[in-house]
């Protein structure tokens, strides 16, 4: 949760105006007391740059909420763009449907229910160009293993909140953090960064954004 806007994000807010669509989604998140769970402009602009630099048409977004991150991606993707947006919460599904009704210019499929089942259902649509992980933290390891199989060579894997609210800086699970979740995030990061099929880095945003490129087949 982004309680306090980091200074880097404040600078970006001065420099980059959020689009009317993003602002509209954020106003509904604010109304419902859910603002800050969505990505901020740092992550949003990063996704936009990644998508706009080319060769990104098929995107899988795991954890859509009201569709703020989907909106950033949709605003940068070309007319052949196809976003598979995965969400299980009924309120979020309703609100994301509202957000998507305003988005034109690319195809968006909202896949309802548990992400693992939704991922299984789209395997035949792959390979994908970008997988963005922003859902339940204990699922990141499984989502990455899925992406490893279904991303195209040269495709991107981006995951938000990988600092797990600052707890990844510790060598032991801090009190108050579910140990299973903490261990799974440590394992996810350790496995991803040791994976010779990917080039990986971390963008030190407040929440931590991992960024990986699946290596081209040799
Ligand atoms: C951090 S929010 C996503 C924010 C969104 N990416 C954005 O920036 O606009 C995480 C979302 O993942 C959804 N979620 C959590 N676990 C899930 C699961 N196992 N399957 C599908 N959706 C899940 C939650 O309901 C929540 O809406």
């Amino acid at each position: 949760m982004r309680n306090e806007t980091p200074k880097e994000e404040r600078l970006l807010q001065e420099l980059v105006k959020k689009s009317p669509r993003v602002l509209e989604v954020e106003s509904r998140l604010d109304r419902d007391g859910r603002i800050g769970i969505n990505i901020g402009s740092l992550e949003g602009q990063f996704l936009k740059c990644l998508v706009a630099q080319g060769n990104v048409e098929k995107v899988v977004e795991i954890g859509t909420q009201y569709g703020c991150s989907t909106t950033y991606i949709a605003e940068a993707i070309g007319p052949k763009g196809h976003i598979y947006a995965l969400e299980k919460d009924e309120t979020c599904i309703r609100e994301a449907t509202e957000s998507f009704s305003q988005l034109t210019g690319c195809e968006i499929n909202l896949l309802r229910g548990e992400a693992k089942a939704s991922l299984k259902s789209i395997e035949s649509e792959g390979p994908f160009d970008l997988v963005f992980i922003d859902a339940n933290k204990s699922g990141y390891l499984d989502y990455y293993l899925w992406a490893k199989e279904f991303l195209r060579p040269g495709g991107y894997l981006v995951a938000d909140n990988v600092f797990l609210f600052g707890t990844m800086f510790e060598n032991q699970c801090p009190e108050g953090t579910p140990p299973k979740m903490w261990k799974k995030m440590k394992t996810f990061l350790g496995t991803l960064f040791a994976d010779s099929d990917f080039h990986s880095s971390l963008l030190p945003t407040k929440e931590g954004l991992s960024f990986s490129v699946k290596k081209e087949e040799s």
Side-chain angles (χ1 to χ4, degrees), residues 60-78:
V60 179
E61 176 186 71
I62 309 173
T64 293
Q65 203 200 23
Y66 285 23
C68 185
S69 48
T70 333
T71 303
Y72 277 108
I73 294 167
E75 287 177 343
I77 211 165

Side-chain angles (χ1 to χ4, degrees), residues 29 31 63 67 88:
L29 286 164
R31 175 199 69 197
K88 71 168 187 182

Side-chain angles (χ1 to χ4, degrees), residues 33-192:
R34 294 181 179 209
I35 192 80
I37 297 169
N38 56 305
I39 58 167
S41 41
L42 260 179
E43 298 81 4
Q45 286 302 122
F46 176 75
L47 285 171
K48 270 190 158 177
C49 291
L50 194 58
V51 169
Q53 62 82 40
N55 291 331
V56 173
E57 287 178 354
K58 275 195 222 174
V59 176
V60 179
E61 176 186 71
I62 309 173
T64 293
Q65 203 200 23
Y66 285 23
C68 185
S69 48
T70 333
T71 303
Y72 277 108
I73 294 167
E75 287 177 343
I77 211 165
K80 285 190 193 157
H82 193 148
I83 307 171
Y84 299 87
L86 279 52
E87 180 53 60
K88 71 168 187 182
D89 176 87
E90 280 307 321
T91 305
C92 290
I93 289 167
R94 198 177 57 239
E95 293 296 331
T97 304
E98 165 69 23
S99 305
F100 299 165
S101 71
Q102 311 292 324
L103 289 174
T104 51
C106 70
E107 200 170 333
I108 303 177
N109 279 130
L110 181 55
L111 298 163
R112 300 150 185 250
E114 268 300 322
K116 263 176 132 175
S118 298
L119 289 173
K120 188 102 202 110
S121 75
I122 56 167
E123 285 177 355
S124 59
E125 308 293 325
F128 301 94
D129 303 308
L130 165 66
V131 174
F132 174 50
I133 306 176
D134 193 17
N136 54 318
K137 310 309 163 210
S138 48
Y140 277 35
L141 181 62
D142 290 334
Y143 302 147
Y144 139 69
L145 291 172
W146 184 89
K148 182 176 163 75
E149 195 173 345
F150 293 100
L151 270 175
R152 67 161 163 82
Y156 306 110
L157 175 68
V158 178
D160 196 18
N161 303 108
V162 300
F163 292 159
L164 199 63
F165 317 111
T167 64
M168 284 298 105
F169 304 124
E170 310 299 332
N171 291 325
Q172 285 190 335
C173 180
E175 224 172 283
T177 303
K180 214 171 152 190
M181 184 199 282
W182 186 84
K183 269 194 203 131
K184 279 210 149 182
M185 186 60 89
K186 278 270 181 198
T187 308
F188 159 67
L189 285 176
T191 315
L192 174 65

